[in-house]
């Protein structure tokens, strides 16, 4: 049987099948779908090895516990790659602000606090090793190879192809 038509892509009424899009970028895909798919790709490919401390650290000083998800490192790496793709020349400090949140101060007012920088720095180094990002000026940018990889994953999501 044929799969149901994609809600966004146009259908070819004569052949009753969904047309595939050729030129798809990361901007055409929902953030959660892309991050989930790219994190699975990073884990499956073995390009990024988990550090020994990945299950011991908190992601910010205002957190009480470490992340529950065993694959949180891959998810954060996928999210960092997406953030740098969307906003080139992003540095560690900007990423700390993005992943920060409100620190609860008991009866006193909440205030925004930055995320920890060590794990983000380690992720940036890992992404540099596999050729997805590169240093440029004070921040980082996506390489042409990295852009090709991220766009191909976005294309797989839009076209509904499952990776074998």
């Amino acid at each position: 049987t044929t799969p149901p038509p994609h809600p966004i892509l146009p259908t070819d009424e004569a052949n009753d099948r969904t047309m595939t899009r050729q030129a798809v970028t990361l901007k055409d895909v929902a953030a959660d779908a892309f991050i989930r798919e790219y994190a699975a790709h990073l884990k499956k490919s073995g390009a990024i090895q988990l550090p020994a401390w990945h299950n011991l650290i908190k992601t910010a000083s205002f957190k009480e516990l470490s992340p529950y998800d065993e694959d949180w490192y891959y998810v954060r790496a996928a999210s960092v790659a997406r953030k740098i793709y969307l906003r080139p020349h992003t540095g560690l400090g900007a990423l700390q602000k993005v992943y920060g949140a409100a620190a609860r101060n008991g009866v006193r007012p909440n205030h925004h606090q930055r995320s920890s920088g060590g794990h983000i720095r380690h992720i940036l180094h890992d992404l540099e090793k596999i050729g997805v990002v590169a240093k440029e000026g004070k921040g980082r940018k996506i390489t042409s190879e990295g852009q090709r990889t991220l766009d191909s994953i976005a294309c797989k999501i839009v076209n509904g192809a499952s990776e074998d």
Side-chain angles (χ1 to χ4, degrees):
T1 63
T2 60
H6 194 274
I8 298 173
L9 297 177
T11 57
D12 185 5
E13 298 299 330
N15 294 330
D16 195 31
R17 61 189 168 112
T18 304
M19 296 167 48
T20 59
R21 290 179 59 184
Q22 297 298 320
V24 177
T25 65
L26 177 98
K27 296 177 182 181
D28 298 327
V29 180
D32 60 336
F34 175 79
I35 291 170
R36 185 173 44 251
E37 190 72 27
Y38 189 51
H41 170 76
L42 289 174
K43 183 177 181 180
K44 186 177 179 183
S45 68
I48 292 182
Q49 299 296 324
L50 288 176
W53 43 260
H54 85 279
N55 58 348
L56 301 175
I57 66 164
K58 303 186 302 180
T59 55
S61 62
F62 56 87
K63 301 277 189 179
E64 292 185 10
L65 299 171
S66 60
Y68 289 124
D69 186 12
E70 287 293 322
D71 298 332
W72 73 268
Y73 192 81
Y74 297 113
V75 173
R76 182 60 60 97
S79 178
V80 166
R82 181 180 175 276
K83 291 285 183 193
I84 294 173
Y85 183 102
L86 295 175
R87 189 166 183 240
H89 308 291
T90 302
L92 177 64
L95 292 170
Q96 283 181 291
K97 288 179 197 173
V98 167
Y99 295 113
R104 298 179 61 193
N105 295 323
V107 297
R108 294 173 296 159
N110 297 346
H111 293 287
H112 185 269
Q113 194 170 358
R114 291 178 174 205
S115 173
S116 299
H119 71 282
I120 297 174
R121 189 178 306 108
H122 197 272
I123 286 170
L124 288 171
H125 290 312
D126 285 344
L127 291 174
E128 283 178 14
K129 284 180 191 173
I130 63 173
V132 175
V133 300
K135 280 188 179 179
E136 182 163 304
K138 290 189 174 184
R140 301 221 173 31
K141 70 172 195 136
I142 295 288
T143 62
S144 59
E145 177 187 338
Q147 183 175 354
R148 189 177 322 112
T149 303
L150 299 179
D151 287 343
S152 69
I153 289 174
C155 187
K156 287 179 187 176
I157 293 170
V158 169
N159 291 332
S162 62
E163 199 173 30
D164 294 336

